[in-house]
Amino acid sequence: MNFYIASSFKNIDNVRYISEQLKAAGHNQTYDWTKHDRAASFDELKEIGQKEKEAVMKSDVVIVLLPAGKGSHIELGIALGLNKRIILHSPRGEVNDFSETSTFYHLAEVEKFLADKDELVNFILEKNPAPN
């Protein structure tokens, strides 16, 4: 399975943890934005944006970890437009907080997951066993 994880820099440790667990099970991360610092120029923004867009396009599943940043919501939109499988991880239940939620979080195509990161990894691996 090819996967991409969208989130914010606030969640960088969780993104790294989940991606390492999935890669250890034999899955492929299409792009790891956590290996880079924040962009310092418009050219860097453009380059990163292109890589992230391509990563979403190559993914079988897009995992969005809340709290998510501006770019994550654009990646969510790309994934929705491409009919990708989307898992929205809301460990603190913010997806169900009317003042924090988004209309797009509640579309039928978005699988909402409200548990800790280890349960999320187990959920993903149950539905996507390691490749042979």
Side-chain angles (χ1 to χ4, degrees):
M1 163 191 77
N2 291 325
F3 69 92
Y4 178 76
I5 302 177
S7 193
S8 67
F9 274 97
K10 292 181 233 175
N11 253 343
I12 202 164
D13 291 334
N14 290 332
V15 171
R16 287 177 176 158
Y17 176 82
I18 293 166
S19 67
E20 289 305 317
Q21 299 299 309
L22 296 177
K23 290 188 295 188
H27 299 292
N28 178 56
Q29 186 175 18
T30 56
Y31 180 67
D32 184 358
W33 55 267
T34 71
K35 292 182 178 180
H36 307 287
D37 292 328
R38 291 183 188 267
S41 70
F42 288 113
D43 286 339
E44 287 178 7
L45 282 174
K46 180 180 176 180
E47 181 181 336
I48 292 167
Q50 186 63 41
K51 288 178 182 177
E52 291 176 345
K53 180 181 102 173
E54 290 169 4
V56 170
M57 293 171 70
K58 291 177 186 174
S59 295
D60 300 308
V61 62
V62 175
I63 304 157
V64 181
L65 304 183
L66 297 181
K70 294 180 290 188
S72 302
H73 290 94
I74 294 167
E75 293 158 350
L76 171 64
I78 294 168
L80 283 166
L82 294 173
N83 295 313
K84 299 290 182 178
R85 179 175 178 215
I86 300 164
I87 301 170
L88 179 70
H89 183 235
S90 178
R92 292 183 299 282
E94 55 270 65
V95 68
N96 292 323
D97 180 339
F98 202 77
S99 66
E100 291 188 41
T101 199
S102 166
T103 55
F104 296 100
Y105 295 170
H106 299 278
L107 295 176
E109 302 91 345
V110 177
E111 297 175 56
K112 292 180 269 190
F113 196 84
L114 287 72
D116 70 29
K117 63 186 175 197
D118 288 311
E119 291 177 83
L120 173 65
V121 170
N122 290 334
F123 172 76
I124 294 168
L125 293 178
E126 284 175 8
K127 292 193 177 225
N128 300 283
N132 295 328

